[in-house]
Amino acid sequence: MKIIKAETITREVARLCQEANFFLGEDVMNAFKKALEIEESEIGREILEQLIENAKIAKQKRVPMCQDTGYTVVFLEVGQDLRIEGNLEEAVQEGVRLGYAEGYLRKSIVEHPFRRRNTGDNTPAVIHTELVSGDNLKIIVAPKGGGSENMSKIKMLKPADGKEGVIDFVLQCVKEAGPNPCPPIVVGVGIGGTFEKAAYLAKKALLREIGSSHPDPEIAELEQILLQKINDLGIGPAGFGGVITALDVNIEIFPCHIASLPVAVNLNCHAARHKETVL
Amino acid sequence: MVKHLTTPLTNEDLESLRSGDKVLLSGVIYSARDAAHARLVKLLDEGKDLPFDLKGQVIYYVGPTPAKPGKIIGSAGPTTSYRMDPYAPRLIEQGLKGMIGKGSRSEKVKEAMRKHKAVYFGAVGGAAALIAERIKEVELIAYEDLGTEAIRRLVVKDFPLIVVNDIYGGDLYEEGQSLYRKNK
């Protein structure tokens, strides 16, 4: 039986917290370069150039690309045949504590929704755990900025609202968000399941590589339709106007109740931070 | 064309600015975001003095990352401004001349900007490492207990900004987006 020590998990989480904040994903960098060729607005192109320059500085100096180093969201895929020596939950929280201290990352979590005293170490992380077959442990660290998270929405549509209803809701969400979530954005959409499942799927959709498509051709087509319609809103880089408002739209789906069509939209800023490892 | 401005800002400075203008700002600016704004307005309500004189000044909505050893500040990009909308008109009435952030402002803030002459500058959200290089001095002047949300006096050199809302009612978000909007 494979044994993984809690200390190993802590070290890996600490490393991933920092790397996710210092190093822009290659898929995002490629999307910026492609956007630079397409963007018609002069200010829009300048913004994209600044974002490319910013990513280079962050990488070279090992500093956060954005000052909002996020709510630390951690996805764990735990192989059922694996044994963890020590406490998994505490190992992850300790990793966040260590990573945010070592990396000079901002601590943005307050301990109570109303009393709002900063916890001082960016814990607790939000941890999503899934049991899978095998004996591997996959850790994905996805620091999520408050600006784009605040612009996210969920709605319980009627089955009769169908695809059109989903399109209208996603567009309404992006339009109302306007310049706030730091466009060009990545749009994660969760369709189906229950109220909380749809929100979880929307968040998970943000982990997919930019430029990837859903395996279901009908959903892949919907991703393309939404991307076009979002870019036709004209919001543009930083919201100053332009043809690139989103870099990608990723949809995840799940079976629904006969009465329901839940849809959740989780917006991400252009940084779309996430780093992963498999132990 | 890029306009060079130095703080404190005067009404004459603001009269020459139009939404969409690119600005390189130099001089002293003050950092403040959610929690600091709540405290500033509470002081005004109680008739007390603020930790700094607002006249002609510029507030930057930012909560920087901690400085690495040997550095004066960490990454320091703008935060979303609408959360400061409930407080901004009070500060504008007191002589605040500029705000730096990202995202749209409320009608009440825009009205206060026109009435009392103040502008809203957009900085590029997410360009935090780049912006930090333009910050030359940092001094914590109030609310140390707020950590990243404390008020800091920053000296900036050629901070790259775009005028979003001018004193004439211009709004770059509305104007810029309408040029590229293809549906509805």
Side-chain angles (χ1 to χ4, degrees), chain A residues 41 46-47 50 53-54 57 61-62 64-65 67 104-106 151 179-180 182 229 232-234 238-242 270, chain B residues 22 63 65-69 75 77-78 82 102-104 125-130 133 148 172-173 177 180-183:
Chain A
S41 147
E46 282 178 29
I47 302 299
Q50 284 190 36
E53 177 67 15
N54 184 68
I57 294 171
K61 300 194 166 177
R62 285 182 69 90
M65 55 190 125
Q67 78 292 336
Y104 293 88
L105 306 180
R106 195 178 82 183
M151 296 296 118
N180 294 355
C182 291
K229 284 182 182 285
D232 286 349
L233 290 172
F240 297 144
H270 47 73
Chain B
K22 285 180 239 175
T65 60
K68 280 177 139 184
S75 299
Y82 74 92
K102 65 164 169 103
S104 311
L130 182 77
E133 309 226 307
T148 185
L172 176 61
Y173 291 136
Q177 293 179 19
Y180 296 94
R181 193 176 298 135
K182 290 176 192 151
N183 48 12

Side-chain angles (χ1 to χ4, degrees), chain A residues 163 213-225 251 253:
Chain A
K163 224 183 277 180
S213 295
H214 195 279
D216 179 334
E218 188 179 0
I219 302 301
E221 191 195 4
L222 184 57
E223 289 175 338
Q224 285 311 308
I225 292 169
I251 301 175
I253 57 170

Side-chain angles (χ1 to χ4, degrees), chain B residues 39-55 94 142-143:
Chain B
R39 290 193 189 181
L40 291 176
V41 167
K42 188 160 178 280
L43 286 176
L44 288 177
D45 287 345
E46 292 166 352
K48 292 179 180 160
D49 285 342
L50 300 184
F52 62 101
D53 186 1
L54 283 170
K55 288 197 176 55
Q94 298 291 317
Y143 313 143

Side-chain angles (χ1 to χ4, degrees), chain A residues 156-234:
Chain A
M156 306 304 281
L157 297 177
K158 296 186 292 295
D161 294 328
K163 224 183 277 180
E164 284 308 310
V166 169
I167 291 171
D168 285 349
F169 181 61
V170 175
L171 283 181
Q172 183 202 338
C173 177
V174 174
K175 196 173 170 183
E176 279 177 23
N180 294 355
C182 291
I185 53 176
V186 178
V187 182
V189 184
I191 307 171
T194 49
F195 183 80
E196 85 286 4
K197 182 73 177 181
Y200 173 72
L201 291 173
K203 175 76 82 226
K204 262 210 123 168
L206 296 174
L207 302 176
R208 261 175 47 201
E209 193 174 324
I210 291 171
S212 66
S213 295
H214 195 279
D216 179 334
E218 188 179 0
I219 302 301
E221 191 195 4
L222 184 57
E223 289 175 338
Q224 285 311 308
I225 292 169
L226 278 169
L227 181 60
Q228 187 59 53
K229 284 182 182 285
I230 286 169
N231 284 334
D232 286 349
L233 290 172

Side-chain angles (χ1 to χ4, degrees), chain A residues 43-58:
Chain A
I43 294 181
R45 284 196 302 274
E46 282 178 29
I47 302 299
L48 290 166
E49 278 166 2
Q50 284 190 36
L51 295 178
I52 291 171
E53 177 67 15
N54 184 68
K56 286 179 182 166
I57 294 171

